[in-house]
């Protein structure tokens, strides 16, 4: 693409990773000198993400995921049967059957949130709150917004043979396998290298002056630290618009609305206004006592002690069981840690979600409100490409790293860039299938092999 187009990258900071970065650790105490913050790893289906990593010279690692939602008699896991699983076996069996009905009427159930779906089919509150909601919150990071997630997302998680992390659902114990997960490399190194591709340094897009079907006029703000400037040059830089053929906004929707304020059209305002976020706080710590008190890090049965090494934890609040607190054992999850670190030296992260509503439940990033699967995702094709503007980022689909990468590739393809040949020639064709689906659903365009399409 750089050989066919003149591309200007505006990045407000000196780092291209957004919310994904690494933090330093005491290697002598914890066994590793760094920790990925914001994103631990992802599903094996994120082929475009792995291709991006390999292009930059970074490899990923594989592991089999173990989860540990709940505690006491409300504890269950995908590693071995528990009391809670045995108690709800009849509901588990019915749950796996009812998805056949959902499959027939997907167009309707996309607008039905999980909490309503579970009520319609008479599933108990305990089964819903302690088993179903945690099973999806783990992968999507939806936290306390999980009850509002579309039922179709839940269905795909359990019955899709391609990207269903819990596929196949077990009619006896819901899940009985450890799905493969991919652990990401050092993000600060990977995305820190991205600064070299910016020909403007640290430059922020401060205003979109005008947009039409043939051009976009924008104003930049220079954020380069320590760069000498005079009042005259600063005024010139900030007030004179620059002209471009196309604009791709890889930023959050609230920032997008602010930048497009004077040029925004009704359909953009309606769709972007439906993207809502909940505040969250991520705490990184190595308090093993806290983990033992609030989660289930060890197997209740001694014969599972050596094999049970959970990466994901869920704590549910007894006073409000539909609300939950997500935690990670980063030492068990991230591959830079050796396997013999004592539990007292493990590094953990807990995500406390939705401070405006649920802070009173806490014992101590932005989280996407999942109603957007009904009111945002189906309508983005009406926005992309209109008035020389396209939108990219994880918020366009699910709040996941893979979604952000594929959205950027789709925007580049719309500008005329070819789809990566390495992915196009993969034997199973899964990466290309995901790209074709994204391009059609979010841009309203058919994929044509080998070439981009400037439309």
């Amino acid at each position: 693409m750089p050989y066919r187009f003149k591309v200007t990258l505006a990045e407000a900071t000196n780092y291209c990773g957004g919310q994904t970065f690494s933090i330093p650790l005491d290697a002598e105490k914890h066994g590793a000198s760094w920790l990925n913050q914001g994103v631990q790893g992802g599903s094996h289906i994120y082929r475009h993400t792995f291709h991006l990593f390999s292009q930059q010279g970074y490899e990923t690692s594989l592991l089999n995921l173990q989860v540990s939602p709940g505690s006491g008699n409300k504890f269950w896991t995908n590693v071995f049967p528990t009391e809670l699983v045995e108690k709800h076996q009849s509901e588990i069996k019915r749950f796996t059957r009812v998805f056949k009905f959902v499959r027939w009427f997907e167009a309707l159930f996309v607008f039905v949130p999980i909490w309503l779906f579970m009520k319609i089919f008479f599933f108990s509150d305990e089964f819903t709150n302690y088993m179903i909601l945690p099973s999806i919150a783990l992968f999507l990071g939806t936290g306390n917004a999980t009850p509002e997630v579309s039922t179709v997302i839940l269905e795909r998680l359990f019955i899709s043979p391609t990207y269903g992390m819990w596929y196949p659902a077990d009619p006896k114990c819901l899940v009985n396998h450890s799905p493969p997960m991919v652990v990401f490399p050092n993000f600060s190194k990977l995305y820190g290298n991205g600064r070299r591709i910016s020909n403007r340094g640290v430059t922020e897009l401060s205003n979109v002056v005008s947009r039409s079907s043939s051009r976009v006029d924008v104003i930049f703000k220079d954020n380069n630290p320590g760069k000498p400037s005079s009042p005259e040059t600063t005024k010139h830089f900030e007030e004179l618009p620059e002209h471009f053929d196309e604009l791709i906004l890889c930023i959050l929707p609230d920032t997008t609305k602010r930048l497009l304020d004077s040029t925004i059209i009704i359909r953009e305002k309606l769709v972007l206004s439906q993207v809502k976020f909940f505040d969250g706080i991520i705490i990184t710590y190595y308090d093993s006592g806290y983990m033992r008190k609030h989660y289930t890090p060890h197997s209740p049965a001694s014969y599972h002690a050596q094999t049970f090494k959970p990466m994901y934890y869920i704590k549910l609040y007894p006073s409000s069981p539909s609300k939950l607190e997500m935690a990670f054992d980063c030492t068990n999850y991230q591959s830079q840690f050796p396997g013999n670190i004592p539990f007292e030296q493990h590094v953990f992260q807990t995500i406390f979600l939705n401070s405006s509503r649920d802070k009173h439940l806490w014992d101590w990033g932005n989280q996407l409100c999942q109603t957007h699967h009904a009111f945002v995702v189906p309508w983005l094709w009406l926005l992309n490409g209109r008035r020389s503007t396209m939108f990219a980022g994880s918020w366009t689909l699910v709040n996941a790293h893979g979604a952000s990468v594929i959205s950027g590739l789709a925007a580049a393809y719309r500008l005329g860039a070819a789809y990566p040949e390495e992915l196009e020639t993969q034997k199973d064709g899964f990466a290309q299938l995901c790209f074709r689906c994204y391009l059609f659903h979010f841009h309203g365009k058919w994929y044509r092999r080998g070439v981009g399409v400037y439309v």
Side-chain angles (χ1 to χ4, degrees), residues 8-16 192 194-206 219-227 237-238:
T8 297
L9 172 65
E11 172 56 59
T13 68
N14 64 348
Y15 172 76
C16 294
R195 71 188 67 175
R196 67 174 182 262
I197 68 175
S198 175
N199 55 354
R200 301 295 292 264
V202 185
T203 306
E204 180 180 354
L205 179 64
S206 63
I219 294 177
F220 291 115
K221 177 182 178 182
D222 188 0
N223 284 352
N224 286 287
K227 181 178 179 180
F237 188 89
E238 292 188 351

Side-chain angles (χ1 to χ4, degrees), residues 218-348:
V218 302
I219 294 177
F220 291 115
K221 177 182 178 182
D222 188 0
N223 284 352
N224 286 287
K227 181 178 179 180
S229 61
S230 64
E232 290 76 15
T233 58
T234 301
K235 182 178 180 180
H236 175 82
F237 188 89
E238 292 188 351
E239 292 186 0
L240 290 182
E242 299 185 40
H243 314 298
F244 297 93
D245 296 319
E246 300 283 343
L247 173 66
I248 304 175
L249 293 168
C250 307
I251 52 180
L252 294 176
D254 51 352
T255 307
T256 298
K257 283 178 60 183
R258 177 176 58 81
L259 292 175
L260 298 181
D261 183 46
S262 61
T263 65
I264 197 167
I265 58 178
I266 293 177
R267 73 176 73 169
E268 291 171 339
K269 184 178 293 186
L270 289 175
V271 174
L272 295 176
S273 297
Q274 294 299 320
V275 185
K276 297 178 175 62
F277 288 90
F278 291 145
D279 294 330
I281 299 175
I282 300 177
I283 305 294
T284 304
Y285 57 97
Y286 57 97
D287 186 346
S288 58
Y290 178 87
M291 292 299 295
R292 289 191 177 98
K293 179 180 179 181
H294 295 282
Y295 302 95
T296 308
H298 304 297
S299 170
S302 58
Y303 53 86
H304 291 296
Q306 299 300 318
T307 58
F308 187 53
K309 296 182 178 181
M311 300 90 178
Y312 281 77
Y313 297 88
I314 291 285
K315 173 189 173 181
L316 297 110
Y317 301 106
S319 60
S320 184
S322 65
K323 308 295 190 304
L324 51 85
E325 175 185 302
M326 299 186 297
F328 310 93
D329 187 330
C330 302
T331 303
N332 282 345
Y333 201 158
Q334 299 189 24
S335 59
Q336 70 272 23
F337 292 95
N340 57 349
I341 301 296
F343 186 72
E344 287 69 25
Q345 295 171 245
H346 280 211
V347 181
F348 309 99

